[in-house]
Amino acid sequence: MSGSIAKYRPAQRLRLGDQLYEQILQRIVSGEYAEGARLPSENQLSDVFGVSRSIVREALSRLQVDGLVAARQGSGTYVQRRPNSEFFDYAPKGAVADVLRFFELRIAIEGEAAYHAAQRRTEADLAHIQSINQRLEAIIGARQVGSEIDIELHEAIAEAAHNELFVATLRNLRPLFDAGLKMTRGLSLKKRPERHRLVQDEHAAIISALVEGNADRARTAMRHHIDNARTRLVSDTEP
């Protein structure tokens, strides 16, 4: 593969909006800003954190996109979800906003990769995908994180699309992929076994669609899986 796609590298200087995003999120995780409670006003947040109101609006907008807060017309902004109390034990410092943005990108890229994989996969591709998934099953039984194997599975599905740009994009963004999977799978270990079982059921739905050659169902199953992973990451709800 040529070097035409620039490899992702975390920004040396974090954007102010992302800094504030992470600071507000830390207060949500700690319970200082409780679930269901109204956040301080834009003016108050601006004073507390020493940033402009435009930076506050940028951070709040990102928190809304990620489903962590919700704005109510004429009332203010309220905490909608509180992540697990150990969220920041797994989160890469200064890159939480980027990790959650990457889930949005994954939904688009991997959904299409699964669509084309269902149409183009070979028997060898299917055997490889199923073999990796069996290793993930063993990981569940051993109560281990298994993020590397999970990434391997997703890359194998991208490879089965037989368009090298799908897998090249994922590999070039590997730092975010690795961080996101370590967070989701690591936090899942803090939950009941049903949480990992649910993830495996979603993998099984994707693989079933690939086996059947059902492109639309493969795309939907993959998008559903990644969107669910993103929701599980920002919510402490069982399973």
Side-chain angles (χ1 to χ4, degrees), residues 22 52 56 58 70 108 112-113 121 133 169 178 214 233:
E22 200 158 311
S52 68
V56 171
E58 180 185 337
E112 291 310 298
R121 88 290 183 277
N133 199 46
T169 300
D178 189 54
N214 189 323
L233 182 59

Side-chain angles (χ1 to χ4, degrees), residues 154-218:
H154 282 266
E155 288 187 349
I157 294 170
E159 288 172 346
H162 295 279
N163 177 337
E164 64 180 359
L165 293 178
F166 282 125
V167 71
T169 300
L170 295 179
R171 286 177 178 164
N172 287 336
L173 293 166
R174 181 63 182 262
L176 292 176
F177 209 164
D178 189 54
L181 265 294
K182 283 181 178 177
M183 289 176 72
T184 54
R185 295 189 70 88
L187 287 169
S188 288
L189 286 179
K190 304 296 181 180
K191 299 293 186 179
R192 295 178 296 172
E194 287 87 343
R195 174 69 71 96
H196 265 179
R197 182 71 265 156
L198 182 61
V199 173
Q200 276 303 93
D201 288 346
E202 291 170 5
H203 284 157
I206 297 165
I207 294 170
S208 173
L210 296 178
V211 170
E212 293 177 8
N214 189 323
D216 287 330
R217 192 159 72 84

Side-chain angles (χ1 to χ4, degrees), residues 14 18-31 63 68 82-97 100 183 187 233:
L14 195 63
D18 285 354
Q19 287 182 11
L20 181 57
Y21 170 100
E22 200 158 311
Q23 289 171 320
I24 294 173
L25 180 54
Q26 285 173 338
R27 295 192 179 199
I28 292 172
V29 170
S30 72
L63 288 162
L68 291 156
R82 180 188 176 195
N84 187 279
S85 60
E86 297 180 57
F87 181 93
F88 281 99
D89 292 345
Y90 295 90
K93 186 176 181 180
V96 174
L100 287 166
M183 289 176 72
L187 287 169
L233 182 59

Side-chain angles (χ1 to χ4, degrees), residues 33-117:
Y33 296 157
E35 190 168 356
R38 185 172 64 182
L39 290 179
S41 69
E42 287 185 7
N43 283 334
Q44 290 171 322
L45 289 171
S46 177
D47 290 340
V48 167
F49 292 102
V51 297
S52 68
R53 286 186 63 189
S54 64
I55 296 299
V56 171
R57 284 192 290 270
E58 180 185 337
L60 292 179
S61 175
R62 186 71 236 168
L63 288 162
Q64 287 183 56
V65 167
D66 291 334
L68 291 156
V69 304
R72 300 180 190 171
Q73 187 68 33
S75 179
T77 301
Y78 291 78
V79 178
Q80 184 164 274
R81 290 192 179 105
R82 180 188 176 195
N84 187 279
S85 60
E86 297 180 57
F87 181 93
F88 281 99
D89 292 345
Y90 295 90
K93 186 176 181 180
V96 174
D98 274 351
V99 168
L100 287 166
R101 287 188 185 104
F102 185 51
F103 277 93
E104 296 177 9
L105 183 66
R106 284 186 61 199
I107 289 170
I109 291 174
E110 293 195 66
E112 291 310 298
Y115 177 91
H116 292 293

